Amino acid sequence: MTLAAVLLAVSCGQNKPQKALVLYYSQTGTTKAVADAIQTALGADAEEIVALTPYDGDFGATIARCQEEMAQGILPEVEPLKADLSQYDVIFLGYPIWFGTYAPPVKAFLNTIDLNGKKVVPFCTFGSGGLDSSVKHLAEKFPKAEILPGYGVRTARADSIPAEVDHFLKESGFVAGEYFKAEPFGEAHAVSEEEAAIFDTAVGDYPMISAKAVEVAVRTVENGTEYFFTAENTGGVPGSIIKVYVLAEEGKDPVFTQVLR
Ligand SMILES: Cc1cc2nc3c(=O)[nH]c(=O)nc-3n(C[C@H](O)[C@H](O)[C@H](O)COP(=O)(O)O)c2cc1C
């Protein structure tokens, strides 16, 4: 048993160690970076989800292919799972967000396996956000799976993956060790001028967000301050509401970490 597996068993308060499998799809490597970090930290097994006809075009070509497949109501064919699922207690399932949820190769793959009765830890990467709808879809697909809190990160923040995965695995009890426990967000209040400027800087150059911050809740995190903004869309459907997490770390410009639509 690896040290990580021992710690996993101890941290979960069980005699029997929990064996973890990391299953993931990644087109351009960001989700793979998260999968690799989890695999290394846990000493877990890992398997990549593979589309028989790879999505190897650029962003525009991939969007076009997906739209065509969606219009025809077809999913891509994927390679069958090689691992024996019955050997694993915890499945870390990773995917890029495409069209608001897990990418079609993952959707197709989930039709070939049964995660009911398993502990599932979802993780994902995305341009703007986020984990929530994909987790809802996962729970609908496998009502008897125990879906544990997951992890998501923007592609643009890939540099944060090692530190955030370490924090996430400790916080969720998969790895022993000290970590910074953030307090919950305080009460939301109307944004000050300074907070509005933080929001504008964080979302400023992102083409898919055009919104004005109205309310914010704030909390202290490890290296700075985290904001949870409520903002009104000024583009898209004007007046509709989005929620945006922003991280302002000491010595760095504020960045948004996830958008809830
Ligand atoms: C076809 C396609 C659709 C996408 N749709 C979304 C989306 O709805 N929301 C989002 O935040 N990012 C979206 N993205 C961005 C990807 O989620 C993001 O680049 C991800 O980190 C890629 O992961 P990978 O490097 O593991 O392939 C999309 C990307 C592609 C190619």
Side-chain angles (χ1 to χ4, degrees):
M1 198 190 308
T2 64
L3 179 62
V6 173
L7 295 175
L8 184 56
V10 171
S11 68
C12 295
Q14 298 184 0
N15 297 327
K16 180 176 166 280
Q18 297 210 52
K19 212 175 158 198
L21 174 66
V22 181
L23 275 177
Y24 68 97
Y25 173 74
S26 185
Q27 184 198 31
T28 53
T30 318
T31 312
K32 181 178 177 359
V34 180
D36 288 350
I38 294 173
Q39 181 194 9
T40 305
L42 299 184
D45 294 336
E47 189 172 324
E48 186 170 3
I49 297 168
V50 179
L52 291 188
T53 306
Y55 289 81
D56 51 9
D58 62 11
F59 181 76
T62 308
I63 294 273
R65 174 172 161 190
C66 289
Q67 283 173 333
E68 179 65 27
E69 288 171 343
M70 286 190 283
Q72 292 182 24
I74 55 171
L75 284 172
E77 281 188 68
V78 289
E79 278 183 16
L81 177 70
K82 294 183 195 73
D84 174 3
L85 265 195
S86 70
Q87 298 301 304
Y88 299 94
D89 312 282
V90 188
I91 311 298
F92 286 77
L93 179 70
Y95 42 81
I97 298 293
W98 287 8
F99 299 96
T101 190
Y102 33 74
V106 175
K107 191 172 183 193
F109 182 75
L110 293 179
N111 286 338
T112 71
I113 61 168
D114 185 5
L115 293 178
N116 283 307
K118 299 288 180 194
K119 290 186 172 129
V120 180
V121 183
F123 61 96
C124 68
T125 70
F126 45 78
S128 59
L131 193 61
D132 294 30
S133 338
S134 65
V135 169
K136 205 174 118 242
H137 295 147
L138 205 52
E140 285 165 4
K141 177 85 184 155
F142 302 111
K144 292 191 178 145
E146 187 186 344
I147 299 177
L148 301 176
Y151 169 69
V153 65
R154 287 182 60 208
T155 328
R157 298 186 59 253
D159 286 356
S160 314
I161 289 171
E164 287 192 0
V165 166
D166 178 64
H167 184 273
F168 169 69
L169 292 174
K170 287 176 179 165
E171 190 176 39
S172 357
F174 287 108
V175 168
E178 291 193 4
Y179 64 94
F180 183 90
K181 255 189 204 151
E183 293 294 322
F185 281 100
E187 290 269 310
H189 55 261
V191 288
S192 66
E193 264 181 43
E194 191 190 337
E195 287 162 341
I198 287 169
F199 178 83
D200 290 342
T201 307
V203 302
D205 57 356
Y206 195 78
M208 312 287 272
I209 304 176
S210 151
K212 180 176 178 296
V214 284
E215 272 191 355
V216 67
V218 183
R219 66 174 180 172
T220 300
V221 290
E222 187 157 11
N223 299 315
T225 306
E226 187 177 19
Y227 299 84
F228 183 47
F229 284 100
T230 301
E232 261 175 30
N233 270 322
T234 48
V237 183
S240 60
I241 296 293
I242 55 170
K243 307 265 187 176
V244 184
Y245 289 93
V246 168
L247 183 62
E249 290 185 317
E250 279 153 29
K252 295 186 188 169
D253 278 344
V255 289
F256 80 89
T257 56
Q258 190 181 172
V259 179
L260 309 180
R261 292 188 170 86

